[in-house]
Amino acid sequence: MGNVVLNLEMNKILEMKSYYGKYLLDKNLPGSVFAAKMSACMITAYKSGKVLFQGNDSEKEASKWGSASASSKKPASSSSAKSTAKGDVPVGIGQMSAIGSDEVGTGDFFGPITVVAAYVKKENIPLLKELGVRDSKDLNDEKIIAIAKVIKDIIPFSLMTLKNEKYNQVQQSGMSQGKMKAILHNQAILNVLDKISPEKPEAILIDQFVQASTYFQHLKGQKAIAKENVYFSTKAEGIHLAVAAASILARYAFIQYIDKLSESAGFKIPKGAGAQVDVAAAKLILSKGRDILPSFVKLHFANTDKAVALVNKKRN
């Protein structure tokens, strides 16, 4: 599927809005003027003047309004960009074509660990910025969902989901959460490398959760390990948009999974590991029995005992 971006004046964008009137969508992305959906092209126009065409007819529709080559802004030169990275990463990594990986759900009592690796080419960095891609912790669920629905069709990515049943099984066998995450990150990265082959990223940036030596120690015994140009940094979402995009896509998948758990439970499942999840787990035990817990929660969390205590108090 093609993607074309034009930079247009607002009067031209308003002309487009009128032209595509019968295709306009009711809901728009944050910062957009309009969104129109045809059978083979999705058009989203932004207040900044950028207009994104997505789909098989993207070039055909874009050509009606301007030239992509003349309108697209060039990304900043990697030689002049300064890295704000923490750790041993290349200077200017933020302007390189890179795979970024991140995970969510590790600290949540309910729901799985979700890991995403995503590939962002340097020429797509301005577009992702325009679409609002940044650290998912700075975005609410509504914005994450809206952004994820757009970028999932623009950038190659791989989602790995470690469901609660499997999580509890491997955790009880003695595997640490750190090793689980390392295996998931590695596999997601390998999947993206396979998707973009023979193209290769200039860098692979992992949002750091352990030291590099420990990460690779966790991966001993794996059939394949991504090692070339692999870097680690804390707060990596602010260093390269590939990590920020991965974070958004992982959070989007996690939100969808929590919604499914809520549907199965019959009430809204809360995120996190605070007192509210103890109450929710107790409610789940009372309504469906304790045997249901392994498919909903990470059993080794202290929240399990707290929930059981609440159930015993209720029954007594």
Side-chain angles (χ1 to χ4, degrees), residues 105-125:
T106 56
D108 291 87
F109 182 48
F110 282 96
I113 293 178
T114 58
V115 173
V116 168
Y119 179 51
V120 174
K121 291 184 178 183
K122 62 179 72 174
E123 54 264 35
N124 281 337
I125 290 174

Side-chain angles (χ1 to χ4, degrees), residues 43-151:
I43 303 169
T44 310
Y46 294 90
K47 293 174 183 176
S48 66
K50 278 192 172 64
V51 183
L52 169 64
F53 298 80
Q54 297 170 271
N56 293 330
D57 285 353
S58 58
E59 291 186 10
K60 176 184 172 184
E61 289 301 322
S63 67
K64 295 176 181 178
W65 306 99
S67 167
S69 59
S71 301
S72 297
K73 291 181 179 179
K74 293 180 180 179
S77 168
S78 60
S79 62
S80 62
K82 292 184 179 179
S83 171
T84 57
K86 304 288 185 184
D88 186 19
V89 299
V91 172
I93 189 173
Q95 295 299 332
M96 294 179 183
S97 294
I99 291 175
S101 69
D102 201 1
E103 85 283 332
V104 300
T106 56
D108 291 87
F109 182 48
F110 282 96
I113 293 178
T114 58
V115 173
V116 168
Y119 179 51
V120 174
K121 291 184 178 183
K122 62 179 72 174
E123 54 264 35
N124 281 337
I125 290 174
L127 170 60
L128 291 187
K129 286 182 180 178
E130 189 62 44
L131 293 174
V133 174
R134 57 184 187 275
D135 188 349
S136 68
K137 290 186 282 295
D138 296 333
L139 301 168
N140 60 30
D141 286 357
E142 184 181 1
K143 287 185 178 179
I144 284 171
I145 292 167
I147 295 169
K149 284 181 176 179
V150 176
I151 66 173

Side-chain angles (χ1 to χ4, degrees), residues 107-238:
D108 291 87
F109 182 48
F110 282 96
I113 293 178
T114 58
V115 173
V116 168
Y119 179 51
V120 174
K121 291 184 178 183
K122 62 179 72 174
E123 54 264 35
N124 281 337
I125 290 174
L127 170 60
L128 291 187
K129 286 182 180 178
E130 189 62 44
L131 293 174
V133 174
R134 57 184 187 275
D135 188 349
S136 68
K137 290 186 282 295
D138 296 333
L139 301 168
N140 60 30
D141 286 357
E142 184 181 1
K143 287 185 178 179
I144 284 171
I145 292 167
I147 295 169
K149 284 181 176 179
V150 176
I151 66 173
K152 69 183 178 65
D153 295 323
I154 296 175
I155 58 176
F157 73 94
S158 174
L159 165 68
M160 304 296 296
T161 302
L162 182 58
K163 296 180 180 179
N164 294 99
E165 298 95 330
K166 184 66 175 177
Y167 176 95
N168 290 316
Q169 181 185 336
V170 296
Q171 191 278 327
Q172 287 166 7
S173 72
M175 186 182 292
S176 68
Q177 196 182 82
K179 183 167 184 173
M180 295 179 211
K181 290 194 287 185
I183 292 171
L184 292 168
H185 276 271
N186 180 63
Q187 190 57 56
I189 291 165
L190 289 172
N191 291 346
V192 175
L193 286 169
D194 186 54
K195 283 184 179 183
I196 67 175
S197 179
E199 186 175 351
K200 287 188 176 183
E202 295 174 87
I204 297 172
L205 181 60
I206 299 172
D207 192 47
Q208 189 168 5
F209 54 92
V210 289
Q211 293 298 315
S213 58
T214 304
Y215 173 85
F216 287 113
Q217 181 67 31
H218 285 326
L219 294 178
K220 280 193 173 180
Q222 297 298 303
K223 289 182 180 179
I225 301 173
K227 292 181 177 178
E228 187 178 355
N229 295 326
V230 174
Y231 304 97
F232 301 83
S233 178
T234 57
K235 299 182 179 178
E237 304 96 325

